[in-house]
Amino acid sequence: MTPDRIEKIINLKAPIDRVWHAITDHVEFGTWFNVALDGPFKPGEVSRGQITYPGYEGLKWEAAVQAMEPERLFSFTWCPTANDPDVDYSGEPLTLVEFRFEAAADGTRLVVSESGFDALPDGPARDEAFKGNSQGWDIQAKNIVAHIDG
């Protein structure tokens, strides 16, 4: 059985306001996340763009921003199986991605989670989505550390 939740804890040597900006400014987010976004993140609106990560160039990015609580929480929903540019994923189940910010003695503790995999139909597609996104969040954790901590 596939777990429902991925969680990564990332310790960054920067204050919360710096980490907040790196995650919620669409241009800076795009730099470390490898996505070219069409415009700023806005709660209640869909963020769109194109993936720029090598090997995935041209895939659509689409995420509905759920919350932007300054220096505390940034979240969005997206389709965890959207990996084919020729498929319409508009009716597929979504997962919730959350970035939670906590002050730490030496900077910021960032908790990144993605939940809702149990809403996907049971089977190989769910297992593949969980595995792929878990590996993806490992990569993105390294990217944000390199981007902020150098």
Side-chain angles (χ1 to χ4, degrees), residues 1-40:
M1 183 172 165
T2 303
D4 180 56
R5 180 182 192 84
I6 298 165
E7 185 170 283
K8 307 292 179 190
I9 298 172
I10 308 161
N11 294 303
L12 298 157
K13 295 176 182 137
I16 287 179
D17 63 335
R18 171 69 190 104
V19 178
W20 174 259
H21 189 267
I23 305 256
T24 61
D25 175 82
H26 75 287
V27 174
E28 193 166 352
F29 179 91
T31 299
W32 64 267
F33 201 87
N34 293 291
V35 63
L37 298 174
D38 296 342

Side-chain angles (χ1 to χ4, degrees), residues 91-102:
E92 296 295 315
L94 305 176
T95 54
L96 174 66
V97 174
E98 295 178 305
F99 295 85
R100 295 191 175 274
F101 304 76
E102 301 171 9

Side-chain angles (χ1 to χ4, degrees), residues 48-99:
R48 291 184 174 85
Q50 299 289 318
I51 304 288
T52 59
Y53 189 84
Y56 296 89
E57 298 96 334
L59 283 179
K60 294 177 189 175
W61 158 277
E62 189 169 288
V65 177
Q66 301 299 308
M68 289 181 80
E69 299 172 20
E71 300 181 9
R72 188 181 155 298
L73 172 68
F74 173 59
S75 66
F76 56 79
T77 54
W78 66 357
C79 179
T81 58
N83 57 15
D84 184 335
D86 298 322
V87 173
D88 175 12
Y89 293 97
S90 60
E92 296 295 315
L94 305 176
T95 54
L96 174 66
V97 174
E98 295 178 305
F99 295 85

